Amino acid sequence: MGDPNVTKLKNLEMITTADELVEHALKEYESPLIGYAMTILKDLERSRDVVQDTFIRLYKQDVEKVKKGLKSWLYTVCRNRALDVLRKEKRMVSVDDEILGLEHSKLPAPDTATDHHERIEQLLEILDRLSDNQKEVIMLKFQQGMSYDEISEKTGLSSGNVGFLLHNGLKKLREMMPADLI
Amino acid sequence: MKNTLKDNDPKLTAYALGELSRHEAAEVTKQLKGNPALQKEVDQIDNLGLALTKAFGKEDEIKLSSKQRAAIFQSGRNPTNADVISIHKKQWLRPVVVTLGAAAALAVTFTVLNNMAGRDDLPSQVNFQKIEKDDMLSPIAPNQSRWDKTSNSNSNSNSGASQVGSNIVLFDNASKHNVETMGDGLMHHPAALRGEIEKTAATQSSLNLAELSENGWESRADKAMTRLPLVCGNASWKWMEQWIDNIDSNSPDNVRPSKNAVRIDEILNHFHYSNPADIQVGNIHSGISLVQCPWSANHQIAVVLVQNRSKIDSYAEAAITMSEAVSRYRLLGYAKTTEPDAAMTAPARVKLAPGYSHLVMYEIELNSDVQLGDDVLAVTLNAESADSPGTIASNALSIQHSNLAWPKAPQDVQFSLILTSWAQIIADSNFDGEMNAQKVLGMIQYFETAHAPSSEQRDALSKMKDSLSAL
């Protein structure tokens, strides 16, 4: 999927427009920023809203100035926005400046670990009912976090074919998955 | 891109998963607008993608939803402070003619000017009295009883008809207080004023109207920016109804109305529209459609609707900027008059009452090398900020070339295009392209089949069909 004539995302040094900068920033930092906002807000939807707002603010910046310290700018703005949300909700938390480098603890609580395991089992059982190709691209996309192009490179399928398989596979999944798994 | 997406298109999944390029995503975003079924499909894919990501324990891979990504890139189409089109620039000084056809003997023509004339003041600082003096507005004494709902209806019975001349008086001179100009009326209470105009027009049995000339083509290179008119008269449709009721197909002299009575701006704005809103500033919304011109396949029609959907009065002004993709454009309606003493000034900034709306059309000729997805025009809307009363907020939106066929446009946009096509036929206007009575009848037939017209639309369509049958 995707127009073969579309220019691939440029390196940061070559970026000159706000559109290119935001596109680059989304590709590199979208998920990490959501994860970072979650460490402050502990809530996925609010975190996504804060990250959306961060990228909207990125549009208003001078491209040449901000791209030199893009990561730092993004995390700083995201942090400030998340703290604004907390203040508005009067949920003040003490935030250490070093949180910039901290990661989530990767150890889940025991009960959620069990629940998670069961959900995976349930999901894999449903995925097994798809065709091999459909299952493979869905796993590469959502378990490995690959893009269409990366999946295409790994599997040897065309990008368009990857999109087609994903689309049909997800459609079938929607029909088969129980509501509580979605 | 035409509206071609179906709910089973893999492009929707790619869009939901953030796999489309920025331009492709923008095209899909456009098609999702006003298509709740497609949007629901995308939302479901979004939700499933999120569920799968969580189920695989990949919370660190969670992304924004497709709506959030669309909002980010949409925000990039709104100008930054450095890019904001200054409403004070002289390029906005293009005059727009507003013709009020209520007077019995004369068509009063107003010219909407950017009264800033090179000044950098904010609109709120304009001294309206000074403008009135500079442009020799004729003062009008409104009949208090007509503005006051509790007034005695007999109070104006002995006033007699207003003398019509260059000093156009719409209302009986029953009060020496609260004298205000036509410009005041247009600026501060256009809905009420237009209501009075319509009532007056309905009582006129003979018309002696000023000669009108339609707006010509403007070169984009000469005039890229133009102010959007937010007021017009409200007599023309009433006159059309009177003419249609008296059509005698056996009398060749009566198969068409007086050309000077056919005012596209007034006809369009006689009706109510509820187009989807694309941008909002304070209490004011604006919806913009760019559609293939029904009478010229090589042209596009920009249909801009500005409306107050709130319950609060709000002042607003708007402008259009044509991009380099545009070769030339013309404003439909707002015909000029050659009457030397009829030129008056109406304010460019208008108070929109709750429910007030105004629809404007431009015919646009694009350059031959324009591609689908190229920016064609931008609409900038200034209005009172809802958060900070007394201050002005601004928003803007760029519209891309999608070559949307007119039957794919929103229902109310289609209706407005039928009205315009019809008006040009019955007035026997000179316009680029091919349109005739049969084609307009075909448009009406399509509309009646494809939609559930409102009672207002049904009534108008019936009258239009009657009038075209006589041609």
Side-chain angles (χ1 to χ4, degrees):
Chain A
M1 189 68 60
D3 185 349
N5 295 321
V6 171
T7 306
K8 298 281 183 191
L9 289 178
K10 293 180 178 177
N11 291 331
L12 194 56
E13 301 79 33
M14 295 166 60
I15 285 171
T16 56
T17 69
D19 278 340
E20 290 168 345
L21 182 68
V22 171
E23 210 166 3
H24 172 91
L26 274 167
K27 185 174 187 291
E28 295 293 319
Y29 299 107
E30 180 181 350
S31 297
L33 276 175
I34 292 174
Y36 173 59
M38 283 278 287
T39 64
I40 303 173
L41 292 169
K42 319 294 183 195
D43 179 273
L44 176 62
E45 287 317 307
R46 284 195 191 85
S47 299
R48 283 168 117 190
D49 287 343
V50 160
V51 170
Q52 174 192 338
D53 190 43
T54 302
F55 283 108
I56 287 174
R57 285 164 191 260
L58 181 60
Y59 255 115
K60 298 185 187 336
Q61 304 310 307
D62 183 306
V63 174
E64 288 305 314
K65 283 183 186 170
V66 77
K67 76 179 186 182
K68 291 170 190 166
L70 179 62
K71 179 179 177 180
S72 176
W73 187 93
L74 285 168
Y75 275 89
T76 302
V77 170
C78 182
R79 173 182 180 276
N80 291 340
R81 286 296 298 122
L83 292 179
D84 286 344
V85 168
L86 286 183
R87 285 188 198 106
K88 276 189 183 173
E89 295 177 0
K90 296 181 182 167
R91 286 164 49 198
M92 291 301 298
V93 296
S94 172
V95 179
D96 193 323
D97 280 350
E98 291 179 10
I99 203 169
L100 197 71
L102 292 180
E103 291 181 350
H104 270 303
S105 165
K106 296 244 191 245
L107 296 175
D111 56 342
T112 54
T114 306
D115 183 51
H116 175 73
H117 182 75
E118 284 175 0
R119 289 163 79 85
I120 287 282
E121 288 292 323
Q122 208 174 355
L123 180 59
L124 290 173
E125 191 266 329
I126 295 172
L127 281 171
D128 272 340
R129 300 186 219 163
L130 300 178
S131 70
D132 288 344
N133 276 351
Q134 286 172 343
K135 180 182 173 183
E136 183 185 15
V137 297
I138 286 174
M139 299 287 281
L140 288 174
K141 179 68 186 157
F142 295 103
Q143 192 182 46
Q144 304 296 324
M146 289 187 179
S147 67
Y148 278 28
D149 287 342
E150 287 167 341
I151 296 172
S152 169
E153 204 174 312
K154 183 169 178 64
T155 60
L157 297 165
S158 69
S159 192
N161 211 352
V162 168
F164 183 77
L165 285 168
L166 257 171
H167 174 76
N168 285 331
L170 289 178
K171 190 175 175 186
K172 275 191 190 165
L173 267 188
R174 265 192 288 157
E175 291 162 5
M176 292 189 289
M177 275 175 82
D180 62 344
L181 205 56
I182 298 181
Chain B
M1 173 190 279
K2 295 184 181 179
N3 273 4
T4 55
L5 279 178
K6 305 287 183 201
D7 60 4
N8 198 29
D9 195 317
K11 211 162 211 172
L12 291 179
T13 298
Y15 174 81
L17 299 181
E19 289 285 343
L20 294 183
S21 71
R22 179 166 34 90
H23 291 292
E24 287 177 311
E27 288 295 335
V28 174
T29 301
K30 269 196 76 112
Q31 292 201 39
L32 292 180
K33 277 184 189 172
N35 193 330
L38 273 186
Q39 182 63 63
K40 186 179 174 185
E41 187 70 17
V42 169
D43 291 343
Q44 287 178 347
I45 299 170
D46 261 336
N47 291 339
L48 178 56
L50 182 61
L52 286 170
T53 304
K54 286 180 179 176
F56 282 122
K58 302 295 284 185
E59 281 82 1
D60 54 349
E61 298 280 346
I62 289 176
K63 295 187 181 296
L64 296 170
S65 69
S66 55
K67 269 185 187 163
Q68 288 172 319
R69 276 196 299 278
I72 290 168
F73 285 113
Q74 186 60 55
S75 76
R77 300 189 186 284
N78 297 336
T80 63
N81 286 337
D83 296 337
V84 168
I85 298 166
S86 169
I87 60 165
H88 316 305
K89 286 184 182 175
K90 275 200 173 180
Q91 289 93 324
W92 288 37
L93 292 177
R94 178 175 180 273
V96 174
V97 170
V98 175
T99 305
L100 300 182
L106 274 181
V108 176
T109 304
F110 289 76
T111 304
V112 177
L113 293 175
N114 180 334
N115 46 40
M116 302 309 296
R119 292 165 61 185
D120 291 327
D121 304 347
L122 291 171
S124 56
Q125 297 172 4
V126 169
N127 184 337
F128 192 72
Q129 291 303 313
K130 182 177 186 302
I131 295 165
E132 172 195 332
K133 189 186 296 183
D134 288 344
D135 293 290
M136 296 164 59
L137 276 169
S138 304
I140 297 166
N143 181 348
Q144 272 301 93
S145 66
R146 294 205 187 186
W147 293 106
D148 181 356
K149 291 177 185 176
T150 62
S151 66
N152 184 341
S153 60
N154 292 326
S155 64
N156 55 349
S157 59
N158 297 322
S159 302
S162 304
Q163 178 62 43
V164 175
S166 59
N167 292 331
I168 302 301
V169 180
L170 278 184
F171 306 105
D172 294 327
N173 197 352
S175 171
K176 293 182 182 176
H177 302 290
N178 296 323
V179 174
E180 61 177 26
T181 64
M182 186 75 80
D184 280 328
L186 286 175
M187 180 177 185
H188 298 299
H189 20 250
L193 180 61
R194 294 182 70 242
E196 293 295 335
I197 292 168
E198 184 181 5
K199 283 183 209 168
T200 309
T203 62
Q204 291 171 319
S205 57
S206 64
L207 305 175
N208 183 9
L209 302 171
E211 194 71 23
L212 297 179
S213 66
E214 298 292 336
N215 287 298
W217 289 93
E218 289 279 355
S219 163
R220 187 263 170 198
D222 295 334
K223 288 272 195 294
M225 285 184 270
T226 181
R227 187 177 288 280
L228 195 82
L230 291 178
V231 289
C232 68
N234 195 16
S236 190
W237 180 254
K238 278 296 171 198
W239 291 336
M240 295 302 102
E241 285 185 315
Q242 289 167 356
W243 158 65
I244 292 168
D245 288 342
N246 293 303
I247 281 178
D248 179 0
S249 55
N250 294 321
S251 168
D253 295 335
N254 199 28
V255 293
R256 290 185 190 279
S258 164
K259 193 167 182 172
N260 298 318
V262 183
R263 296 173 187 166
I264 290 173
D265 47 302
E266 295 187 11
I267 290 170
L268 282 173
N269 286 290
H270 177 82
F271 298 94
H272 299 93
Y273 303 94
S274 59
N275 295 359
D278 293 304
I279 53 174
Q280 179 183 357
V281 179
N283 300 316
I284 307 299
H285 292 79
S286 181
I288 306 108
S289 295
L290 189 63
V291 182
Q292 267 185 14
C293 178
W295 54 86
S296 177
N298 295 328
H299 293 176
Q300 302 282 310
I301 300 289
V303 182
V304 184
L305 181 72
V306 177
Q307 56 188 170
N308 183 349
R309 292 184 178 181
S310 74
K311 296 179 182 176
I312 305 168
D313 292 339
S314 186
Y315 284 93
E317 58 185 352
I320 296 252
T321 309
M322 302 296 176
S323 79
E324 291 177 352
V326 174
S327 169
R328 56 178 191 161
Y329 64 94
R330 70 180 182 113
L331 173 65
L332 297 178
Y334 301 94
K336 296 183 176 62
T337 180
T338 54
E339 294 291 322
D341 59 350
M344 293 193 181
T345 298
R349 182 165 56 99
V350 173
K351 182 161 84 173
L352 308 186
Y356 182 93
S357 68
H358 199 72
L359 188 142
V360 185
M361 272 192 198
Y362 294 85
E363 186 176 350
I364 295 171
E365 185 180 276
L366 300 176
N367 288 318
S368 58
D369 59 349
V370 171
Q371 304 287 324
L372 292 177
D374 285 352
D375 287 342
V376 173
L377 58 92
V379 172
T380 305
L381 184 62
N382 293 347
E384 290 176 296
S385 167
D387 297 329
S388 307
T391 63
I392 297 172
S394 183
N395 201 355
L397 181 70
S398 293
I399 303 298
Q400 290 74 46
H401 176 44
S402 65
N403 209 28
L404 183 70
W406 81 267
K408 303 283 186 185
Q411 177 175 341
D412 286 0
V413 172
Q414 291 184 30
F415 179 70
S416 67
L417 289 169
I418 291 172
L419 281 171
T420 307
S421 302
W422 169 79
Q424 293 187 111
I425 290 295
I426 59 166
D428 205 15
S429 299
N430 293 322
F431 55 93
D432 283 347
E434 296 175 4
M435 182 56 73
N436 54 44
Q438 283 306 311
K439 284 190 177 177
V440 180
L441 284 168
M443 291 172 77
I444 293 173
Q445 185 181 24
Y446 169 83
F447 185 87
E448 289 176 328
T449 307
H451 302 292
S454 66
S455 57
E456 181 184 66
Q457 290 174 343
R458 270 200 308 275
D459 185 51
L461 293 168
S462 172
K463 289 188 163 81
M464 284 192 268
K465 282 191 287 189
D466 288 342
S467 67
L468 291 169
S469 302
L471 290 177

